[in-house]
Amino acid sequence: MSSVSKSPWIIHYDGSSCNGCDIEVLAALTPLYDVERFGIVNTGNPKHADIFLVTGGINERNIDVVREIYDQMVEPKVVVACGVCACTAGIFKDCYNIIGGVDKAIPVDVYAPGCAIRPEAIIDAVVEGIGILEEKSKKLKAEKKGA
Amino acid sequence: MGKAQVLPFGPQHPVLPEPLHLDLVVEDETVVDVLPQIGFIHRGLEKLVETRDIHQYIYVAERICGICAFGHSYGYAETVERLMDVEIPPRAQYLRSIMHELSRIHSHLLWMGLAADAFGFESLFMHCWRLRERILDIFEAVAGGRVILSYTLIGGVTKDIDAPMLQAIKDKLNSIKKEYQEICNAFLKDTSVKNRLVGVGYISPEDAVQYGMVGPFARASNLNNDVRCLGLGAYGDLADFQPILSTDGDCYGRVQVRAEEVLQSISIIEELIDKIPDGDFYVPVKGAPAAGSEACSILEQPRGEVYYYCSGNGTKNLERMRIRTPTTQNIAGMTMALKGCDLADVNMIVLTIDPCISCTER
């Protein structure tokens, strides 16, 4: 990825995390790390979002919510699993109400481990996500041309 | 009056960092009834005591909630220590109290930022979070983590904080004070902020008792239930402790109580640092809790009173662990405050109870 052609907007959903990763996602947007200066905005609307940041594992109650948000997002879209719980269910793996990581519900593009994940790791994962987003967008364009 | 309609609020909502679902029954723009639905973050952590031993569980206890992470490890460790009749050194008690008050400052600043975001004051949100990073710097220097600290052990704490470090914490808090005062002024004196807060979501002191409200939410309705008044642990050595109360009972009162509690926490930390005794910061704890033994403890967390109960069965694992968290208590009060409010004020009222859904659902 040489340059970014547009600023991706992110949407954040707390699966069943302990909050630690959620506040770090917000910390990445606020003055010390400040990714908003690149135009990366935290939106509440799935239809506006390009990158879906999920924290925490999946349980029976929220699996439909996560799928619903993912389905409402417009292609191309990228999913980033933030924190070790979102990757593999982490420390909560043995809990009776946990199905597993986010990939049990929706396809995940970038895995970003950490407990709690550090804002630097989130930024790193989002930057990787931007590369994937551009690739997906190119592919989508090529498909449209072919059709 | 229009026909009653049901509006869903959450679980994914811009003002909520955590999933909470409310079914709002509205007539025109007025909320007439509220039905909360929870369970989106339920993991089953209380059951996990059966497969994790008492020392391992401290790391799980910490992850009950990432915002009050230190508080939960502190409360759990204290209960297990009571269960096993372990006396921890006074220095460890002081260090725990200092860290606990620091996490109160971090939690309140975080909440004030989210509240500012909810009433649409974006720059105030950014300033609160900028200041909060300075507290996280202290956490990082002391324990190595920003939000999950792993600082508590059963029998004490993992590391000592030496004298130069304690002085550095004091200096840092002093430097925060002045900037914090400016933020406080914006919260408590700005007219546009007041317009969103004054008179919104009123709860009378009688209702506060009846709904069993705890923490700053209850203290804003002039109900003193601050556990720190009991003088447990290092809090007993404070020269003077006066809980912060407000008679307003509305959203403004709740902001005021939390805003002043930050300054109170800073002075508590300064006093504890001045008085901290020398000595050990850890006593090794061996063995297992006796069969049939029971212990409980209470703790004032940023959101209010938390109650822990543990019972042993003679093995390394506990028989049962139970926590009653503040948001569980406050949800009843929140639904009462929401009845009769404007639809536009729902955000504000939901936020002013400082909901911590991870604690509630575990």
Side-chain angles (χ1 to χ4, degrees):
Chain A
M1 186 184 64
S2 55
S3 64
V4 179
S5 61
K6 66 168 192 170
S7 299
W9 283 17
I10 59 166
I11 184 168
H12 157 237
Y13 182 74
D14 173 356
S16 62
S17 89
C18 70
N19 258 343
C21 298
D22 303 286
I23 56 179
E24 292 296 60
V25 167
L26 286 175
L29 296 160
T30 47
L32 187 69
Y33 296 96
D34 199 14
V35 296
E36 281 202 359
R37 72 201 139 126
F38 303 122
I40 299 175
V41 178
N42 185 15
T43 169
N45 189 342
K47 294 184 177 76
H48 294 169
D50 305 294
I51 299 183
F52 185 17
L53 300 180
V54 201
T55 55
I58 294 294
N59 62 28
E60 293 292 348
R61 186 98 158 90
N62 70 27
I63 188 163
D64 294 330
V65 182
V66 172
R67 281 190 181 139
E68 181 66 26
I69 296 171
Y70 181 77
D71 289 343
Q72 284 188 24
M73 287 170 68
V74 185
E75 293 281 355
K77 55 192 168 190
V78 167
V79 177
V80 179
C82 286
V84 73
C85 303
C87 298
T88 64
I91 192 166
F92 306 135
K93 208 175 174 70
D94 295 339
C95 292
Y96 61 81
N97 200 34
I98 293 286
I99 300 173
V102 179
D103 48 10
K104 300 274 182 206
I106 53 175
V108 175
D109 298 286
V110 186
Y111 293 88
C115 183
I117 186 168
R118 292 186 64 91
E120 291 96 330
I122 297 174
I123 296 169
D124 230 30
V126 169
V127 168
E128 206 177 319
I130 294 172
I132 297 172
L133 193 70
E134 303 240 315
E135 262 170 43
K136 282 190 176 177
S137 137
K138 266 183 204 157
K139 218 172 149 190
L140 215 64
K141 263 185 199 162
E143 271 173 22
K144 267 186 189 167
K145 256 186 189 169
Chain B
M1 194 52 96
K3 237 176 85 185
Q5 293 179 36
V6 179
L7 278 185
F9 180 92
Q12 191 267 324
H13 191 280
V15 300
L16 295 171
E18 297 170 272
L20 168 70
H21 181 84
L22 299 174
D23 279 323
L24 303 169
V25 183
V26 291
E27 269 175 17
D28 293 335
E29 288 280 291
T30 314
V31 178
V32 290
D33 204 4
V34 185
L35 195 70
Q37 289 184 28
I38 57 171
F40 293 96
I41 317 194
H42 178 62
R43 291 152 285 183
L45 294 184
E46 285 177 4
K47 178 97 173 145
L48 217 56
V49 288
E50 291 169 13
T51 48
R52 301 279 185 275
D53 77 31
I54 49 170
H55 299 281
Q56 289 170 335
Y57 194 78
I58 205 152
Y59 303 105
V60 181
E62 205 166 25
R63 284 159 179 86
I64 288 170
C65 169
I67 304 177
C68 12
F70 180 78
H72 278 302
S73 61
Y74 175 14
Y76 166 77
E78 203 175 67
T79 318
V80 175
E81 282 151 11
R82 275 188 197 180
L83 196 65
M84 299 172 73
D85 285 323
V86 177
E87 185 80 34
I88 69 161
R91 190 174 175 90
Q93 275 183 354
Y94 269 71
L95 290 173
R96 281 183 185 178
S97 293
I98 289 170
M99 291 301 272
H100 190 49
E101 290 302 319
L102 279 171
S103 51
R104 188 186 315 279
I105 299 175
H106 125 78
S107 171
H108 279 356
L109 279 171
L110 178 141
W111 173 81
M112 285 164 83
L114 292 177
D117 193 39
F119 53 64
F121 204 147
E122 195 72 14
S123 59
L124 198 54
F125 163 58
M126 292 293 179
H127 277 296
C128 290
W129 280 64
R130 177 179 57 81
L131 218 52
R132 178 181 159 266
E133 290 290 342
R134 309 258 283 272
I135 305 290
L136 297 190
D137 285 346
I138 300 177
F139 284 157
E140 209 172 344
V142 171
R146 278 166 52 89
V147 287
I148 304 281
L149 305 177
S150 304
Y151 186 62
T152 323
L153 286 176
I154 290 175
V157 293
T158 51
K159 301 178 193 83
D160 194 13
I161 311 180
D162 54 9
M165 186 74 179
L166 286 171
Q167 188 56 40
I169 294 176
K170 227 170 138 182
D171 293 343
K172 199 148 207 168
L173 289 176
N174 242 327
S175 70
I176 289 172
K177 239 189 217 166
K178 194 165 158 280
E179 284 177 69
Y180 178 71
Q181 206 70 51
E182 286 167 14
I183 290 178
C184 251
N185 281 345
F187 267 103
L188 300 177
K189 294 186 180 147
D190 191 285
T191 328
S192 56
V193 174
K194 271 189 174 175
N195 286 342
R196 285 303 304 270
L197 299 175
V198 175
V200 174
Y202 175 76
I203 290 193
S204 66
E206 294 77 34
D207 285 346
V209 176
Q210 201 171 353
Y211 300 128
M213 283 157 44
V214 293
F217 189 34
R219 289 201 282 280
S221 295
N222 205 16
L223 176 69
N224 176 22
N225 53 11
D226 199 321
V227 175
R228 288 175 290 175
C229 290
L230 298 176
L232 302 168
Y235 293 111
D237 297 346
L238 293 175
D240 182 38
F241 179 81
Q242 287 299 329
I244 289 165
L245 300 172
S246 162
T247 50
D248 294 348
D250 56 3
C251 287
Y252 181 77
R254 290 163 213 154
V255 173
Q256 194 187 4
V257 167
R258 292 200 178 92
E260 285 173 18
E261 274 190 4
V262 173
L263 292 171
Q264 185 192 35
S265 290
I266 292 178
S267 59
I268 290 177
I269 295 167
E270 281 170 351
E271 196 181 332
L272 290 178
I273 288 178
D274 287 339
K275 286 184 178 169
I276 192 163
D278 290 329
D280 286 339
F281 56 92
Y282 174 65
V283 283
V285 176
K286 295 215 171 82
S293 57
E294 284 182 317
C296 60
S297 75
I298 50 173
L299 189 69
E300 180 73 19
Q301 279 196 352
R303 284 158 190 79
E305 174 199 313
V306 192
Y307 175 89
Y308 297 86
Y309 165 84
C310 289
S311 64
N313 58 1
T315 66
K316 276 267 186 189
N317 298 345
L318 291 174
E319 177 71 23
R320 177 85 170 95
M321 207 268 298
R322 171 91 179 104
I323 310 175
R324 195 191 69 178
T325 56
T327 311
T328 325
Q329 293 298 102
N330 285 342
I331 280 181
M334 179 189 78
T335 52
M336 292 320 291
L338 281 170
K339 276 179 194 166
C341 79
D342 264 3
L343 191 55
D345 291 331
V346 171
N347 292 350
M348 221 40 250
I349 297 171
V350 170
L351 262 186
T352 48
I353 79 158
D354 199 354
C356 184
I357 312 299
S358 295
C359 285
T360 313
E361 298 176 352
R362 299 184 285 283

